[in-house]
Amino acid sequence: MKKTLCFLIPTLLSIILFTNGCYNDNQELLYGSQELGCGPVQAKFGADISPLISTKCAISGCHDANAGNNPAGITLQTYAQISAQKNKINTKVVVDKTMPPTGPLLPAEIAKIKCWLEAGAQNN
């Protein structure tokens, strides 16, 4: 009985530690760091957000000038249009990560949008 316990306890502990370590590593690789902070440098609309939305969202068949033809009917080409949709952008891109339909943005891209929104979604 003692021999069995001496073998069983370290084996179980190793399995528990190994499994927890791998899960956390895989989650970080799949979803990126959940603790991305904005820090002292804030994302700027003109330099960061507008180019990102232009290349990932305001593309043909999505949120371009012909967006009235798609089910959502949301155009994201100007600051006014983008700012008016900031709550939906936060929900769909930052929180749910269901947009864009071509695949989720990179963690760094999501962080830029999140920081811009948290700073008040300014036209800077």
Side-chain angles (χ1 to χ4, degrees):
M1 179 73 173
K2 285 184 181 181
K3 288 183 182 180
T4 304
L5 286 177
C6 289
F7 173 76
L8 188 59
I9 291 173
T11 304
L12 290 174
L13 287 174
S14 296
I15 291 171
I16 291 168
L17 292 174
F18 177 73
T19 304
N20 286 339
C22 291
Y23 174 77
N24 290 333
D25 290 346
N26 288 337
Q27 186 172 358
E28 176 104 5
L29 289 173
L30 289 172
Y31 304 111
S33 174
Q34 300 299 315
E35 299 299 322
L36 292 174
C38 294
V41 178
Q42 297 295 320
K44 305 252 185 236
F45 179 77
D48 302 305
I49 305 307
S50 182
L52 182 60
I53 290 179
S54 293
T55 59
K56 304 282 184 158
C57 307
I59 57 175
S60 179
C62 288
H63 300 290
D64 63 352
N66 297 321
N69 298 332
N70 73 32
I74 298 169
T75 302
L76 298 174
Q77 292 192 305
T78 66
Y79 169 77
Q81 293 167 336
I82 294 166
S83 179
Q85 299 298 326
K86 63 187 175 189
N87 290 335
K88 283 188 180 180
I89 291 170
N90 184 57
T91 301
K92 300 285 187 175
V93 177
V94 177
V95 177
D96 297 343
K97 296 177 181 70
T98 57
M99 286 286 164
T102 56
L105 300 177
L106 297 173
E109 294 170 326
I110 294 170
K112 284 182 183 180
I113 292 173
K114 178 182 176 192
C115 291
W116 177 71
L117 292 168
E118 286 179 1
Q122 299 173 23
N123 187 7
N124 53 5

